[in-house]
């Protein structure tokens, strides 16, 4: 609590260079910054008090000059099977975000937020229903991962994957999202391989193009949900600005330039986008692309009357894609009992 109230920048907002500069200004040698970086990102220390290899004076100065925590756990829920754990976190600004830890076989996946709320307004999404409150800083994104990593390390486990699929649209907060990934990727620090991150975007075409140009090794998922503009305009309002005629070529260019497989996300909504008209249109739209389709039955939310597709409809949809040679998986709705769908816990809490 004291940390959250203390003044100064959040330490996780600093790059290694920033930290080096700050310590040099205090007359500290360059190796001191590396030492602190190592404490934070390797040893997963969460405050200067824990950095017993530093002098008491330096620990005190660090504590006075930086904040070491911006997130306060307000609530946590564990799914009945115990595999999915969801944290509702309060930011210093009073906003709330969600961070989810999913355990599946050997995978330990952190699902993190990039914004409080979201401006994109997808009607079926609990986060979309609340509108954009604010962007998270890179440090606030980083801290979510550290929080889960520390928790797992107590059980002698570690994270294997990080997905930017919590609250918010990562490409609407592009710089902070990619800076957070770069900071966690640093081999001198947290050392989390780029290929173990996945960014999910609603389809902001200029940012997909930028991401392609920058040649990141990070995985890309695009939330499609509809294969015709008429339907996508309704489910994903940003489609009116970046219709499929722009989105799909941007995805094809990404695949060609990076030689990486792209993932398409599709929330199956009973009677809306789960029929043969859409599966056939989708198969045509993405034919020949190195891709994978994830079908996820919709998690119902308070602000939207649609329901998740039945198993039978999901299988029929998948079979259409499979017959056309498109790799496709039906994802089980992990943690539905704890509203693990994006934004749902925060919505419940604020009621
Ligand atoms: N804004 C980004 C990432 C966050 S949303 C995006 O839209 O891709 C992460 C995923 O959850 C997206 O594929 C989104 O469409 C999906 N989603 C949102 N609400 C959902 C719900 N109620 N049921 C199932 N999936 C949902
Ligand atoms: Fe935003 Fe993604 Fe939700 Fe759409 S689905 S409102 S882009 S968080």
């Amino acid at each position: 609590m004291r940390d959250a109230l203390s003044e100064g920048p959040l330490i996780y907002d600093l790059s290694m260079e920033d930290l080096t500069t700050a310590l040099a200004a205090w007359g500290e040698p360059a190796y001191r910054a590396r030492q602190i970086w190592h404490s934070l990102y390797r040893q997963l220390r969460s405050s200067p008090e824990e950095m017993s290899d530093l002098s008491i004076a330096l620990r005190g100065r660090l504590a006075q000059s930086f904040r070491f925590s911006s997130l306060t756990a307000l609530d946590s829920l564990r799914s009945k099977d115990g595999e999915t754990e969801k944290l509702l976190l309060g930011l210093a600004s009073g906003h709330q975000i969600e961070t989810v830890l999913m355990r599946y076989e050997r995978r330990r996946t952190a699902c993190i937020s990039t914004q409080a709320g979201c401006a994109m307004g997808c009607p079926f999404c609990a986060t979309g229903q609340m509108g954009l409150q604010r962007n998270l800083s890179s440090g606030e994104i980083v801290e979510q991962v550290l929080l889960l990593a520390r928790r797992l390390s107590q059980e002698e486990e570690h994270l294997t994957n990080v997905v930017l699929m919590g609250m918010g649209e990562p490409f609407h907060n592009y710089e902070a999202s990619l800076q957070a990934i770069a900071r966690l990727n640093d081999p001198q620090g947290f050392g989390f391989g780029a290929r173990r991150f996945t960014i999910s975007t609603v389809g902001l075409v200029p940012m997909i193009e930028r991401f392609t140009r920058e040649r990141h090794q990070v995985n890309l998922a695009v939330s499609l949900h509809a294969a015709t503009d008429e339907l996508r305009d309704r489910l994903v309002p940003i489609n009116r600005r970046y219709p499929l005629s722009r989105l799909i070529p941007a995805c094809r260019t990404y695949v060609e330039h990076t030689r990486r497989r792209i993932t398409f996300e599709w929330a199956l909504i009973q009677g809306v986008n789960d029929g043969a008209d859409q599966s056939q249109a989708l198969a045509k739209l993405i034919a020949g692309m190195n891709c994978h389709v994830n079908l996820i039955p919709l998690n119902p939310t308070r602000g939207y009357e649609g329901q998740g597709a039945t198993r039978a409809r999901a299988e029929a949809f998948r079979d259409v894609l499979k017959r056309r040679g498109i790799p496709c998986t039906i994802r089980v709705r992990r943690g539905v009992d704890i509203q693990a769908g994006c934004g749902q816990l925060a919505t419940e809490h604020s009621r």
Side-chain angles (χ1 to χ4, degrees):
M1 208 56 230
R2 193 173 59 78
D3 282 340
L5 292 175
S6 72
E7 299 294 313
L10 179 64
I11 192 100
Y12 315 110
D13 273 320
L14 274 67
S15 65
M16 179 62 197
E17 294 78 68
D18 298 334
L19 187 63
T20 309
T21 308
L23 280 142
W26 297 350
E28 293 287 342
Y31 72 82
R32 204 68 83 200
R34 280 197 299 278
Q35 203 178 345
I36 295 166
W37 195 256
H38 194 262
S39 291
L40 293 172
Y41 291 103
R42 275 289 164 97
Q43 299 174 310
L44 302 176
R45 304 264 156 88
S46 57
S47 71
E49 292 95 276
E50 295 169 43
M51 300 180 184
S52 51
D53 50 345
L54 302 179
S55 70
I56 291 177
L58 182 55
R59 279 184 253 166
R61 190 153 193 193
L62 281 170
Q64 269 171 12
S65 311
F66 297 103
R67 283 182 299 141
F68 284 77
S69 164
S70 65
L71 306 173
T72 313
L74 299 176
D75 197 358
S76 83
L77 288 173
R78 205 180 255 264
S79 61
K80 289 196 193 90
D81 60 11
E83 308 266 271
T84 304
E85 216 180 327
K86 179 163 185 161
L87 303 177
L88 180 69
L89 302 171
L91 302 167
S93 57
H95 297 105
Q96 297 176 358
I97 55 164
E98 298 172 3
T99 301
V100 183
L101 174 63
M102 292 171 284
R103 302 161 200 255
Y104 180 63
E105 293 175 352
R106 288 200 185 156
R107 283 190 173 221
R108 298 290 176 268
T109 304
C111 178
I112 59 172
S113 296
T114 55
Q115 298 179 312
C118 180
M120 299 296 133
C122 308
F124 57 86
C125 168
T127 308
Q129 290 158 17
M130 60 181 87
L132 179 65
Q133 297 168 341
R134 74 164 171 89
N135 278 333
L136 300 190
S137 73
S138 61
E140 289 167 332
I141 300 171
V142 163
E143 194 185 335
Q144 295 170 62
V145 174
L146 293 178
L147 203 84
L148 296 183
R150 287 181 204 133
R151 195 176 263 252
L152 281 173
S153 80
Q154 288 167 359
E155 304 160 29
E156 300 198 1
E157 291 204 49
H158 54 87
L159 283 175
T160 61
N161 300 83
V162 171
V163 300
L164 283 66
M165 288 192 187
M167 293 171 72
E169 166 52 39
F171 279 179
H172 193 216
N173 188 16
Y174 188 95
E175 303 277 345
S177 297
L178 281 135
Q179 279 168 10
I181 291 174
R183 207 155 297 145
L184 293 165
N185 179 229
D186 178 6
Q188 305 299 317
F190 198 64
F192 209 76
R195 288 184 169 85
R196 298 200 277 152
F197 290 92
T198 299
I199 292 187
S200 178
T201 178
V202 70
L204 299 183
V205 170
M207 295 300 132
I208 295 175
E209 290 167 349
R210 175 171 173 190
F211 186 74
T212 303
R213 276 197 306 276
E214 293 174 354
R215 291 186 180 276
H216 297 280
Q217 298 292 310
V218 173
N219 299 300
L220 183 64
V222 173
S223 299
L224 213 49
H225 308 312
T228 54
D229 283 325
E230 185 272 317
L231 181 58
R232 199 163 189 271
D233 280 351
R234 285 189 280 138
L235 293 179
V236 183
I238 199 69
N239 192 68
R240 296 173 205 153
R241 192 168 329 156
Y242 305 116
L244 292 165
S245 57
R246 289 195 59 193
L247 176 58
I248 299 300
C251 294
R252 286 190 188 276
T253 305
Y254 166 81
V255 170
E256 280 159 25
H257 282 229
T258 61
R259 300 185 182 281
R260 299 185 65 78
R261 167 186 282 202
I262 195 167
T263 300
F264 292 113
E265 306 282 338
W266 192 287
L268 280 165
I269 311 170
Q270 183 77 27
V272 174
N273 66 353
D274 66 342
D277 54 332
Q278 285 294 317
S279 55
Q280 285 164 3
L282 174 61
K284 210 182 247 179
L285 201 61
I286 60 177
M289 205 187 314
N290 181 17
C291 68
H292 189 102
V293 177
N294 278 330
L295 301 172
I296 308 129
L298 182 84
N299 243 319
T301 57
R302 235 172 249 281
Y304 182 71
E305 57 186 24
Q307 296 296 313
T310 60
R311 185 78 203 178
R313 299 272 288 182
E315 284 172 0
F317 196 102
R318 177 193 60 195
D319 291 344
V320 168
L321 297 179
K322 285 243 155 121
R323 276 199 296 278
R324 312 280 180 95
I326 297 168
C328 176
T329 314
I330 301 172
R331 300 283 171 198
V332 285
R333 294 187 286 169
R334 264 174 244 300
V336 228
D337 54 318
I338 58 163
Q339 294 122 16
C342 147
Q344 287 180 270
L345 183 57
T347 310
E348 290 298 312
H349 223 259
S350 65
R351 282 175 61 85

